[in-house]
Coordinates of all heavy atoms in Angstrom, one line a residue:
S1 N -70.3 7.7 -111.2 CA -70.8 7.1 -110.0 C -70.8 8.2 -108.9 O -69.7 8.8 -108.7 CB -70.1 5.9 -109.5 OG -70.6 5.4 -108.3
M2 N -71.9 8.5 -108.2 CA -71.9 9.5 -107.2 C -71.9 8.7 -105.8 O -72.8 7.9 -105.6 CB -73.1 10.3 -107.4 CG -73.3 11.4 -106.3 SD -74.7 12.5 -106.7 CE -74.9 13.3 -105.1
A3 N -70.9 9.0 -105.0 CA -70.8 8.3 -103.7 C -71.9 8.6 -102.7 O -72.4 7.7 -102.0 CB -69.4 8.6 -103.1
Q4 N -72.2 9.9 -102.6 CA -73.2 10.3 -101.6 C -74.6 10.0 -102.0 O -75.0 10.1 -103.1 CB -73.1 11.8 -101.3 CG -71.7 12.3 -101.1 CD -71.1 12.9 -102.3 OE1 -71.3 12.4 -103.4 NE2 -70.3 14.0 -102.2
P5 N -75.4 9.5 -101.0 CA -76.9 9.3 -101.3 C -77.6 10.7 -101.5 O -77.0 11.7 -101.0 CB -77.4 8.6 -100.1 CG -76.5 9.0 -99.0 CD -75.1 9.2 -99.6
G6 N -78.7 10.7 -102.1 CA -79.4 11.9 -102.3 C -80.5 11.8 -103.4 O -80.5 10.9 -104.2
R7 N -81.4 12.8 -103.4 CA -82.4 12.8 -104.5 C -82.1 13.9 -105.5 O -81.2 14.7 -105.4 CB -83.8 13.1 -103.8 CG -84.2 12.0 -102.8 CD -85.6 12.2 -102.3 NE -86.1 11.1 -101.5 CZ -86.0 11.1 -100.2 NH1 -85.5 12.1 -99.5 NH2 -86.4 10.0 -99.5
V8 N -82.9 13.8 -106.6 CA -82.7 14.7 -107.7 C -84.0 15.4 -108.0 O -85.1 14.8 -108.0 CB -82.2 13.9 -109.0 CG1 -82.0 14.9 -110.2 CG2 -80.9 13.2 -108.7
L9 N -83.9 16.7 -108.3 CA -85.1 17.5 -108.7 C -84.9 18.3 -109.9 O -83.9 19.0 -109.9 CB -85.6 18.3 -107.5 CG -86.8 19.2 -107.7 CD1 -88.0 18.3 -107.9 CD2 -87.1 20.1 -106.5
F10 N -85.8 18.2 -110.9 CA -85.7 19.1 -112.1 C -86.8 20.1 -112.0 O -87.9 19.8 -111.7 CB -85.9 18.2 -113.3 CG -84.8 17.3 -113.7 CD1 -85.0 16.4 -114.7 CD2 -83.6 17.3 -113.0 CE1 -84.0 15.5 -115.1 CE2 -82.6 16.4 -113.3 CZ -82.8 15.5 -114.4
L11 N -86.4 21.4 -112.3 CA -87.4 22.5 -112.4 C -87.5 22.9 -113.9 O -86.5 23.5 -114.4 CB -86.9 23.6 -111.5 CG -86.7 23.3 -110.0 CD1 -86.3 24.6 -109.3 CD2 -88.0 22.8 -109.4
G12 N -88.6 22.7 -114.5 CA -88.7 23.2 -115.9 C -87.7 22.6 -116.9 O -87.3 23.3 -117.8
T13 N -87.3 21.4 -116.7 CA -86.2 20.8 -117.5 C -86.9 20.2 -118.8 O -87.8 19.4 -118.7 CB -85.4 19.7 -116.8 OG1 -84.7 20.4 -115.8 CG2 -84.5 19.0 -117.7
P14 N -86.4 20.6 -120.0 CA -87.0 20.0 -121.2 C -86.4 18.6 -121.5 O -85.5 18.4 -122.3 CB -86.5 21.0 -122.3 CG -85.3 21.6 -121.7 CD -85.4 21.6 -120.2
C15 N -86.9 17.6 -120.8 CA -86.3 16.3 -120.8 C -86.4 15.7 -122.2 O -85.5 14.8 -122.6 CB -87.0 15.4 -119.8 SG -86.8 15.9 -118.1
T16 N -87.4 16.0 -123.0 CA -87.6 15.4 -124.3 C -87.1 16.3 -125.4 O -87.3 16.0 -126.6 CB -89.0 15.0 -124.6 OG1 -89.8 16.2 -124.6 CG2 -89.6 14.1 -123.5
G17 N -86.5 17.4 -125.1 CA -86.1 18.4 -126.1 C -86.9 19.7 -126.0 O -87.9 19.7 -125.2
S18 N -86.6 20.7 -126.7 CA -87.3 21.9 -126.6 C -87.8 22.5 -128.0 O -87.0 22.7 -128.9 CB -86.4 23.0 -126.0 OG -87.0 24.3 -126.1
G19 N -89.1 22.6 -128.2 CA -89.6 23.2 -129.4 C -89.1 24.6 -129.7 O -88.8 25.0 -130.8
V20 N -89.0 25.4 -128.6 CA -88.5 26.8 -128.7 C -87.0 26.7 -129.2 O -86.6 27.5 -130.1 CB -88.6 27.5 -127.4 CG1 -87.9 28.8 -127.5 CG2 -90.1 27.8 -127.1
A21 N -86.2 25.9 -128.6 CA -84.8 25.8 -129.0 C -84.7 25.3 -130.5 O -83.9 25.8 -131.2 CB -84.1 24.8 -128.1
R22 N -85.5 24.3 -130.9 CA -85.5 23.9 -132.3 C -85.8 25.0 -133.2 O -85.2 25.1 -134.3 CB -86.4 22.7 -132.4 CG -85.9 21.4 -131.8 CD -86.7 20.2 -132.2 NE -88.0 20.2 -131.8 CZ -88.4 19.7 -130.6 NH1 -87.5 19.1 -129.8 NH2 -89.7 19.7 -130.2
R23 N -86.8 25.8 -132.9 CA -87.2 26.9 -133.8 C -86.0 27.9 -133.8 O -85.7 28.4 -134.9 CB -88.5 27.6 -133.2 CG -88.9 28.8 -134.1 CD -89.3 28.4 -135.5 NE -90.3 27.4 -135.5 CZ -91.6 27.6 -135.5 NH1 -92.0 28.9 -135.4 NH2 -92.5 26.7 -135.6
L24 N -85.4 28.2 -132.7 CA -84.3 29.2 -132.7 C -83.1 28.6 -133.4 O -82.4 29.3 -134.1 CB -83.9 29.5 -131.2 CG -82.9 30.5 -131.0 CD1 -83.3 31.9 -131.6 CD2 -82.6 30.7 -129.5
G25 N -82.9 27.3 -133.3 CA -81.8 26.7 -134.0 C -81.9 26.6 -135.5 O -80.9 26.2 -136.1
Q26 N -83.0 27.0 -136.0 CA -83.2 27.0 -137.5 C -82.4 28.1 -138.2 O -82.1 28.0 -139.4 CB -84.7 27.1 -137.9 CG -85.5 25.9 -137.5 CD -87.0 26.2 -137.8 OE1 -87.4 27.3 -138.2 NE2 -87.8 25.1 -137.6
W27 N -82.0 29.1 -137.4 CA -81.2 30.2 -137.9 C -79.7 30.1 -137.4 O -79.5 29.7 -136.2 CB -81.8 31.5 -137.5 CG -83.2 31.7 -138.0 CD1 -83.5 32.0 -139.3 CD2 -84.4 31.5 -137.3 NE1 -84.9 32.1 -139.5 CE2 -85.4 31.8 -138.3 CE3 -84.7 31.2 -136.0 CZ2 -86.8 31.7 -137.9 CZ3 -86.0 31.1 -135.6 CH2 -87.1 31.4 -136.6
G28 N -78.8 30.5 -138.2 CA -77.4 30.4 -137.8 C -77.1 31.1 -136.5 O -76.4 30.6 -135.6
L29 N -77.5 32.4 -136.4 CA -77.3 33.2 -135.3 C -78.0 32.6 -134.0 O -77.4 32.6 -132.9 CB -77.8 34.6 -135.5 CG -76.9 35.5 -136.4 CD1 -77.5 36.8 -136.6 CD2 -75.5 35.6 -135.8
G30 N -79.2 32.0 -134.3 CA -79.9 31.4 -133.2 C -79.2 30.2 -132.6 O -79.1 29.9 -131.4
R31 N -78.6 29.3 -133.6 CA -77.9 28.1 -133.1 C -76.7 28.5 -132.4 O -76.3 27.9 -131.4 CB -77.6 27.3 -134.3 CG -77.1 25.9 -134.0 CD -76.8 25.0 -135.2 NE -76.6 23.6 -134.8 CZ -77.5 22.7 -134.9 NH1 -78.7 22.9 -135.4 NH2 -77.2 21.4 -134.6
R32 N -76.0 29.6 -132.8 CA -74.8 30.0 -132.1 C -75.2 30.6 -130.7 O -74.4 30.4 -129.7 CB -74.0 31.1 -132.9 CG -73.2 30.5 -134.0 CD -72.2 31.5 -134.6 NE -72.9 32.6 -135.3 CZ -73.2 32.5 -136.6 NH1 -73.0 31.4 -137.3 NH2 -73.8 33.6 -137.1
A33 N -76.3 31.2 -130.6 CA -76.8 31.7 -129.3 C -77.1 30.6 -128.3 O -76.9 30.7 -127.1 CB -78.0 32.6 -129.5
I34 N -77.6 29.5 -128.9 CA -77.9 28.4 -128.0 C -76.7 27.7 -127.4 O -76.6 27.3 -126.3 CB -78.7 27.3 -128.8 CG1 -80.1 27.9 -129.2 CG2 -78.9 26.0 -128.0 CD1 -80.9 27.0 -130.1
G35 N -75.6 27.7 -128.3 CA -74.3 27.2 -127.8 C -74.2 25.7 -127.9 O -75.1 25.0 -128.3
L36 N -73.0 25.2 -127.5 CA -72.7 23.8 -127.6 C -73.5 22.8 -126.8 O -74.1 21.9 -127.4 CB -71.2 23.6 -127.3 CG -70.2 24.1 -128.2 CD1 -68.8 23.9 -127.7 CD2 -70.3 23.4 -129.6
A37 N -73.6 23.0 -125.5 CA -74.3 22.1 -124.7 C -75.7 21.9 -125.0 O -76.3 20.8 -125.1 CB -74.1 22.4 -123.2
A38 N -76.4 23.1 -125.1 CA -77.8 23.1 -125.4 C -78.1 22.5 -126.8 O -79.1 21.8 -127.0 CB -78.4 24.4 -125.3

């Protein structure tokens, strides 16, 4: 819960996932480069 009021803006956020990331993630080194959160 966030106490302060305010708005939110996304710039270029892949809300449904990323085709580029999925392609990179097909390789072991690529998946490690993407990291945990992504």
Side-chain angles (χ1 to χ4, degrees):
S1 175
M2 181 175 165
Q4 310 96 322
R7 296 187 174 95
V8 181
L9 180 64
F10 291 172
L11 304 179
T13 293
C15 297
T16 64
S18 166
V20 169
R22 287 193 293 272
R23 180 61 59 86
L24 186 59
Q26 292 176 355
W27 299 282
L29 286 176
R31 195 178 186 100
R32 284 195 289 273
I34 292 172
L36 287 176

